[in-house]
Amino acid sequence: MRKVLFLLFFILLAGMVLAESNKVYVVAFRYENGQLFFHDKMVKFGYSPDRNLMSGDYSGRILSKDGSELYAFKFNVPLERFVDLSDLNTGKISGGVVKVDKTNFAIVLPFFNKAESIKIYDPDSVQIIDIDVKEIEGPNYKMWINISLLLVMIGIIIAIAIRRRKLYK
């Protein structure tokens, strides 16, 4: 009987211990000749950095369906590249910072179920990009796993009750 109780206890705990996975937006941009262009967006599982602690010339806001601000952030366009070179003859390593005038980059932002758009503003606070991020919510797998575990537990309890009733007859 103790083994059965331990089994039920662990089945119950398994439903509660499911790893919480966070979604993020990965938003890709292209910067060329002083202009920022939206390239692509995707939703992935992961964690986003705290962009509230970052500074930058460009800013952005994630807005909900009712227009309220869910998240605000700042960022810089990465126009500096750190380059290391080695001379094959002497073996000497040298390098420095190279400034570029065009680049592709991406930023990672937290995902919100209520989000409708991401708006990007230039250094003069003029909106330059509006990204539609409406997501169709998929099935809640965590809920279905918990319901399945609960049904398994109920089945085990019923099987134990039937077995005990037969033993005492």
Side-chain angles (χ1 to χ4, degrees):
M1 185 64 182
R2 281 188 168 168
K3 290 179 183 178
V4 172
L5 288 176
F6 279 123
L7 177 67
L8 291 175
F9 179 71
F10 285 116
I11 290 174
L12 179 66
L13 283 180
M16 294 180 202
V17 179
L18 289 174
E20 183 66 34
S21 54
N22 294 330
K23 289 183 181 179
V24 293
Y25 295 112
V26 179
V27 185
F29 296 99
R30 181 172 48 90
Y31 182 84
E32 193 171 334
N33 299 323
Q35 291 187 310
L36 187 64
F37 302 98
F38 168 68
H39 179 65
D40 194 14
K41 73 169 185 309
M42 63 184 89
V43 176
K44 296 267 190 181
F45 289 102
Y47 297 94
S48 66
D50 190 358
R51 295 205 172 269
N52 290 324
L53 301 176
M54 298 182 178
S55 63
D57 295 332
Y58 289 85
S59 62
R61 297 176 7 182
I62 300 177
L63 300 176
S64 69
K65 294 174 177 122
D66 64 3
S68 62
E69 183 178 290
L70 298 171
Y71 188 75
F73 57 95
K74 291 184 178 262
F75 65 96
N76 276 322
V77 176
L79 295 176
E80 295 179 345
R81 304 264 169 100
F82 296 93
V83 179
D84 292 324
L85 303 170
S86 65
D87 187 348
L88 295 175
N89 295 330
T90 63
K92 185 176 179 181
I93 297 175
S94 62
V97 177
V98 175
K99 292 197 177 215
V100 296
D101 61 351
K102 64 180 181 177
T103 187
N104 294 325
F105 68 99
I107 59 174
V108 179
L109 300 168
F111 176 85
F112 295 94
N113 284 328
K114 300 177 187 177
E116 182 171 276
S117 66
I118 299 174
K119 298 193 185 293
I120 305 296
Y121 301 90
D122 69 5
D124 297 325
S125 298
V126 175
Q127 181 183 327
I128 54 173
I129 299 173
D130 187 1
I131 305 165
D132 181 28
V133 292
K134 290 180 221 158
E135 286 292 320
I136 300 170
E137 288 192 42
N140 186 347
Y141 292 111
K142 191 172 182 179
M143 178 190 70
W144 287 111
I145 290 172
N146 284 332
I147 289 172
S148 300
L149 289 173
L150 181 64
L151 292 174
V152 167
M153 286 178 49
I154 290 172
I156 291 172
I157 291 170
I158 291 172
I160 290 171
I162 292 172
R163 185 175 172 208
R164 288 186 138 211
R165 185 173 283 178
K166 285 182 181 178
L167 288 175
Y168 290 121
K169 282 188 176 182

